[in-house]
């Protein structure tokens, strides 16, 4: 299974990417209250290292996510 960025993404896509085995790239953009640190902590708790977490977040398709990442890291 691929990690899902859905917890920090605006709802509406119906989790299309993970449902077909592809990584979520946050196609609807970031939630206003996105808690990037919490998501990274959760990913790390299941064995995904911080560098890979950063790479996952770097795949986000919106500038807004990059801004949130910079602000929260």
């Amino acid at each position: 299974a691929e990690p899902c960025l859905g917890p920090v993404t605006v709802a509406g896509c119906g989790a299309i990417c993970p449902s077909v085995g592809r990584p979520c790239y946050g196609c609807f953009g970031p939630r206003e209250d996105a808690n990037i640190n919490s998501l990274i902590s959760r990913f790390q708790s299941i064995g995904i290292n911080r560098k890979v977490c950063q790479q996952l977040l770097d795949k986000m398709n919106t500038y807004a996510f990059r801004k949130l990442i910079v602000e929260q890291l």
Side-chain angles (χ1 to χ4, degrees):
E2 295 290 340
C4 181
L5 299 171
V8 295
T9 303
V10 172
C13 70
I16 296 168
C17 299
S19 69
V20 294
R22 297 192 59 198
C24 169
Y25 62 93
C27 58
F28 277 46
R31 293 169 43 132
E32 271 189 43
D33 61 346
N35 188 336
I36 303 294
N37 288 327
S38 179
L39 182 67
I40 289 172
S41 292
R42 175 65 184 134
F43 283 167
Q44 289 177 318
S45 76
I46 60 172
I48 300 172
N49 71 44
R50 191 166 185 87
K51 182 178 179 180
V52 172
C53 290
Q54 182 68 45
Q55 291 169 341
L56 289 168
L57 294 169
D58 280 346
K59 293 179 183 176
M60 298 308 266
N61 71 333
T62 63
Y63 173 77
F65 262 111
R66 289 192 182 281
K67 185 178 177 195
L68 281 174
I69 292 166
V70 170
E71 290 173 359
Q72 293 190 23
L73 291 178

